[in-house]
Amino acid sequence: MKNLKAKLTVLLKPYLKNKKVLYLINGSIIFFINMVLAYLIVKIPFSSHPRIQNNVANVVTTELMVFISFFIHDNFTWKGSTSSFIYKIIRYHSVMIVSIIIRFLSFMIFDFLHFPFMVSTVLSILIIIIFNFIGFDKFVFHK
Protein backbone atom coordinates (compact mmCIF):
# COMPACT_ATOMS: atom_id res chain seq x y z
CA MET A 1 0.00 0.00 0.00
CA LYS A 2 2.85 2.37 0.88
CA ASN A 3 4.53 1.58 -2.43
CA LEU A 4 1.32 2.32 -4.36
CA LYS A 5 0.96 5.67 -2.61
CA ALA A 6 4.55 6.56 -3.46
CA LYS A 7 4.04 5.60 -7.12
CA LEU A 8 0.81 7.61 -7.34
CA THR A 9 2.53 10.62 -5.78
CA VAL A 10 5.35 10.44 -8.34
CA LEU A 11 2.87 10.05 -11.22
CA LEU A 12 0.45 12.78 -10.13
CA LYS A 13 2.87 15.39 -8.78
CA PRO A 14 3.65 17.03 -12.17
CA TYR A 15 -0.05 17.29 -12.98
CA LEU A 16 -0.92 18.81 -9.62
CA LYS A 17 1.52 21.66 -10.32
CA ASN A 18 -0.09 22.48 -13.67
CA LYS A 19 -2.47 25.48 -13.46
CA LYS A 20 -4.81 24.04 -16.08
CA VAL A 21 -5.16 20.77 -14.18
CA LEU A 22 -5.60 22.59 -10.85
CA TYR A 23 -8.17 24.90 -12.48
CA LEU A 24 -10.15 21.88 -13.72
CA ILE A 25 -9.95 20.11 -10.36
CA ASN A 26 -10.85 23.20 -8.33
CA GLY A 27 -13.37 24.23 -10.96
CA SER A 28 -15.03 20.82 -10.59
CA ILE A 29 -15.26 21.36 -6.85
CA ILE A 30 -16.69 24.85 -7.42
CA PHE A 31 -19.10 23.44 -10.01
CA PHE A 32 -20.33 20.80 -7.54
CA ILE A 33 -20.83 23.42 -4.83
CA ASN A 34 -22.59 25.63 -7.37
CA MET A 35 -24.99 22.86 -8.43
CA VAL A 36 -25.86 22.00 -4.82
CA LEU A 37 -26.49 25.68 -4.03
CA ALA A 38 -28.54 26.15 -7.21
CA TYR A 39 -30.67 23.12 -6.38
CA LEU A 40 -31.23 24.23 -2.78
CA ILE A 41 -31.89 27.88 -3.60
CA VAL A 42 -34.34 27.20 -6.43
CA LYS A 43 -36.42 25.24 -3.90
CA ILE A 44 -36.90 28.38 -1.76
CA PRO A 45 -40.11 30.01 -3.04
CA PHE A 46 -39.37 33.56 -4.27
CA SER A 47 -42.14 33.81 -6.83
CA SER A 48 -45.05 31.87 -8.26
CA HIS A 49 -43.75 32.64 -11.76
CA PRO A 50 -41.23 29.95 -12.79
CA ARG A 51 -38.96 32.23 -14.85
CA ILE A 52 -38.67 34.79 -12.04
CA GLN A 53 -38.06 31.97 -9.56
CA ASN A 54 -35.30 30.48 -11.75
CA ASN A 55 -33.59 33.80 -12.44
CA VAL A 56 -33.62 34.94 -8.79
CA ALA A 57 -32.15 31.58 -7.77
CA ASN A 58 -29.51 31.95 -10.48
CA VAL A 59 -28.53 35.45 -9.27
CA VAL A 60 -28.25 34.37 -5.62
CA THR A 61 -26.23 31.27 -6.51
CA THR A 62 -23.89 33.24 -8.75
CA GLU A 63 -23.18 35.88 -6.11
CA LEU A 64 -22.35 33.25 -3.49
CA MET A 65 -20.07 31.44 -5.92
CA VAL A 66 -18.05 34.59 -6.72
CA PHE A 67 -16.78 34.73 -3.15
CA ILE A 68 -16.30 30.99 -2.71
CA SER A 69 -14.42 30.60 -6.00
CA PHE A 70 -12.04 33.52 -5.30
CA PHE A 71 -10.77 31.91 -2.12
CA ILE A 72 -10.44 28.47 -3.75
CA HIS A 73 -8.51 29.81 -6.76
CA ASP A 74 -6.36 32.18 -4.74
CA ASN A 75 -5.32 29.50 -2.27
CA PHE A 76 -5.17 26.37 -4.44
CA THR A 77 -5.04 27.12 -8.18
CA TRP A 78 -2.82 30.21 -8.37
CA LYS A 79 -1.22 29.85 -4.95
CA GLY A 80 2.09 31.28 -6.19
CA SER A 81 0.58 34.68 -7.01
CA THR A 82 2.46 37.41 -5.18
CA SER A 83 0.04 40.27 -5.88
CA SER A 84 -1.65 41.98 -2.96
CA PHE A 85 -5.04 40.75 -1.80
CA ILE A 86 -6.70 44.08 -2.71
CA TYR A 87 -5.19 44.04 -6.21
CA LYS A 88 -6.35 40.45 -6.80
CA ILE A 89 -9.86 40.90 -5.40
CA ILE A 90 -10.51 44.03 -7.48
CA ARG A 91 -9.26 42.37 -10.67
CA TYR A 92 -11.09 39.13 -9.81
CA HIS A 93 -14.34 41.02 -9.49
CA SER A 94 -13.68 42.79 -12.80
CA VAL A 95 -13.32 39.44 -14.58
CA MET A 96 -16.32 38.09 -12.70
CA ILE A 97 -18.54 41.05 -13.64
CA VAL A 98 -18.00 40.27 -17.32
CA SER A 99 -18.35 36.56 -16.58
CA ILE A 100 -21.60 37.09 -14.68
CA ILE A 101 -23.03 39.12 -17.56
CA ILE A 102 -22.11 36.31 -19.96
CA ARG A 103 -23.62 33.74 -17.58
CA PHE A 104 -26.87 35.67 -17.05
CA LEU A 105 -27.35 36.28 -20.76
CA SER A 106 -26.65 32.68 -21.68
CA PHE A 107 -28.90 31.43 -18.85
CA MET A 108 -31.75 33.67 -20.00
CA ILE A 109 -31.36 32.45 -23.57
CA PHE A 110 -31.48 28.80 -22.47
CA ASP A 111 -34.41 29.54 -20.16
CA PHE A 112 -36.22 31.36 -22.99
CA LEU A 113 -35.66 28.26 -25.13
CA HIS A 114 -37.36 26.26 -22.31
CA PHE A 115 -34.32 24.28 -21.27
CA PRO A 116 -34.76 22.82 -17.74
CA PHE A 117 -33.33 24.98 -14.95
CA MET A 118 -30.40 22.70 -14.15
CA VAL A 119 -29.49 22.25 -17.83
CA SER A 120 -29.52 26.04 -18.32
CA THR A 121 -27.33 26.40 -15.24
CA VAL A 122 -24.82 23.79 -16.41
CA LEU A 123 -24.57 25.19 -19.93
CA SER A 124 -24.15 28.78 -18.76
CA ILE A 125 -21.38 27.67 -16.38
CA LEU A 126 -19.58 25.72 -19.09
CA ILE A 127 -19.55 28.79 -21.34
CA ILE A 128 -17.69 30.87 -18.76
CA ILE A 129 -15.15 28.26 -17.67
CA ILE A 130 -12.70 29.06 -20.48
CA PHE A 131 -13.33 32.79 -20.23
CA ASN A 132 -12.61 32.72 -16.50
CA PHE A 133 -9.39 30.70 -16.82
CA ILE A 134 -7.93 33.14 -19.32
CA GLY A 135 -9.06 36.17 -17.30
CA PHE A 136 -7.76 34.80 -14.01
CA ASP A 137 -4.46 33.64 -15.45
CA LYS A 138 -3.67 36.75 -17.52
CA PHE A 139 -5.35 39.49 -15.49
CA VAL A 140 -5.88 38.49 -11.85
CA PHE A 141 -3.31 36.04 -10.54
CA HIS A 142 -0.41 36.63 -12.92
CA LYS A 143 3.04 37.08 -11.41
Side-chain angles (χ1 to χ4, degrees), residues 76-92:
F76 300 106
T77 308
W78 281 275
K79 56 188 166 201
S81 175
T82 56
S83 302
S84 73
F85 174 79
I86 298 297
Y87 175 84
K88 288 187 284 191
I89 198 81
I90 289 169
R91 286 184 172 248
Y92 189 84

Side-chain angles (χ1 to χ4, degrees), residues 25-143:
I25 291 168
N26 293 327
S28 297
I29 293 166
I30 292 165
F31 176 80
F32 177 75
I33 294 167
N34 198 332
M35 296 311 297
V36 170
L37 282 174
Y39 176 78
L40 294 173
I41 291 171
V42 80
K43 297 297 182 187
I44 300 169
F46 296 105
S47 170
S48 59
H49 192 276
R51 282 210 175 126
I52 293 173
Q53 174 72 23
N54 288 349
N55 282 287
V56 168
N58 187 50
V59 169
V60 171
T61 301
T62 302
E63 286 299 317
L64 288 170
M65 290 314 300
V66 167
F67 291 104
I68 293 169
S69 66
F70 173 78
F71 289 104
I72 290 173
H73 286 310
D74 190 36
N75 291 299
F76 300 106
T77 308
W78 281 275
K79 56 188 166 201
S81 175
T82 56
S83 302
S84 73
F85 174 79
I86 298 297
Y87 175 84
K88 288 187 284 191
I89 198 81
I90 289 169
R91 286 184 172 248
Y92 189 84
H93 277 85
S94 299
V95 170
M96 291 305 292
I97 286 168
V98 175
S99 181
I100 288 168
I101 291 167
I102 292 169
R103 180 173 172 186
F104 287 158
L105 290 175
S106 62
F107 179 86
M108 286 190 278
I109 290 167
F110 295 129
D111 192 52
F112 176 77
L113 296 172
H114 301 289
F115 282 59
F117 173 77
M118 294 305 278
V119 172
S120 298
T121 300
V122 169
L123 292 175
S124 64
I125 291 168
L126 291 175
I127 288 170
I128 62 171
I129 286 174
I130 294 171
F131 173 82
N132 284 347
F133 178 81
I134 294 167
F136 298 157
D137 194 51
K138 303 293 183 203
F139 188 66
V140 179
F141 300 109
H142 68 283
K143 293 181 183 180

